[in-house]
Every structure is written in C-alpha cells, then in structure tokens.
Amino acid sequence: MARILVVEDHEDSRVGLALWLEVVGHTVEASGDGLSALAVARARPPAIAIIDIGLPGLSGWEVGTRLREAFGRRIGLIALTSLQSAADRARSLQAGFDVHLVKPATGDDLSRAIHAVSTA
C-alpha cells in the first residue's frame, strides 16, 4: 500500500477520503491548502498525492506543478476536482498530473487511479 497525501479544502471531503484510504490500507496525511501540503510533502514525501484543484491560496494545479518539480516521476499525481471540461483536463496534464478525476469519484475510480499511478 502507498503513502498518500490528500489535499482538499472541504473538511468533510478531506476527512472522508482520508478515512476511506486508510480503511483500504494506505498511509494517509491530509492538508486543507496548497502551502501546507507542500510542507507536508517536503517533510514526508508521499508516493501519491490526490489534489483538489480549487484550493485557497495556491491552486491544485500549482501544487501539482511544484510537487512534480520537487519529486519528478517518483510521485503519482491525481487531480480530484469538479472541473470537467477538456481544457481543465488538459491543464491538469500540463501541470504534471497523471490522472484527472471528476467529483464525485467512486471508490472504484479512485482505486483504478491509485493503481495506475503506482505502476507508472
């Protein structure tokens, strides 16, 4: 199982996702904003980061870009967002994300995304 960083500003969503990930066997740290997420990642590098795009302060795209610059391909990046246009998906890829999931994502969607970035 993987060390996963969840970055989500909505507390209920953050807590719920973190709990589900722990139940299925992952080690999870969670953050409510981009700057604290970067600090957590520097202190304890995750294997995977699941990042909301609409964060206060730094956008999720900026967080993804900075994590990709810091860790290269050693980290899998999953965008989990309500943004769903082709332009939004393209921007996620440009920012370095491996997967762009649209909320609400199912457990199966998340499991497939985690597997995809774990084996990439």
Side-chain angles (χ1 to χ4, degrees), residues 60-70 77 94-97:
W61 287 313
E62 181 64 25
V63 174
T65 297
R66 291 186 186 192
L67 289 174
R68 183 63 72 215
E69 289 170 354
L77 297 178
Q94 182 181 22
F97 283 88

Side-chain angles (χ1 to χ4, degrees), residues 18-44:
L19 283 172
W20 179 80
L21 289 166
E22 288 173 345
V23 165
V24 298
H26 299 287
T27 301
V28 180
E29 292 201 59
S31 177
D33 65 82
L35 288 176
S36 65
L38 293 172
V40 168
R42 281 190 293 272
R44 290 170 302 286

Side-chain angles (χ1 to χ4, degrees), residues 88-101:
D88 296 326
R89 290 175 185 277
R91 188 162 178 198
S92 290
L93 293 174
Q94 182 181 22
F97 283 88
D98 301 297
V99 176
H100 181 104
L101 289 178

Side-chain angles (χ1 to χ4, degrees), residues 5-120:
L5 173 61
V6 172
V7 188
E8 168 63 64
D9 61 322
H10 185 266
E11 184 176 4
D12 290 342
S13 297
R14 182 176 62 247
V15 170
L17 178 54
L19 283 172
W20 179 80
L21 289 166
E22 288 173 345
V23 165
V24 298
H26 299 287
T27 301
V28 180
E29 292 201 59
S31 177
D33 65 82
L35 288 176
S36 65
L38 293 172
V40 168
R42 281 190 293 272
R44 290 170 302 286
I48 298 168
I50 300 174
I51 305 169
D52 180 29
I53 298 302
L55 296 172
L58 294 178
S59 74
W61 287 313
E62 181 64 25
V63 174
T65 297
R66 291 186 186 192
L67 289 174
R68 183 63 72 215
E69 289 170 354
F71 299 103
R73 301 307 302 173
R74 294 173 299 180
I75 186 171
L77 297 178
I78 299 170
L80 181 59
T81 180
S82 58
L83 302 174
Q84 56 187 315
S85 73
D88 296 326
R89 290 175 185 277
R91 188 162 178 198
S92 290
L93 293 174
Q94 182 181 22
F97 283 88
D98 301 297
V99 176
H100 181 104
L101 289 178
V102 176
K103 294 177 182 177
T106 67
D108 286 343
D109 294 334
L110 286 162
S111 292
R112 280 191 295 274
I114 289 167
H115 178 74
V117 301
S118 296
T119 59

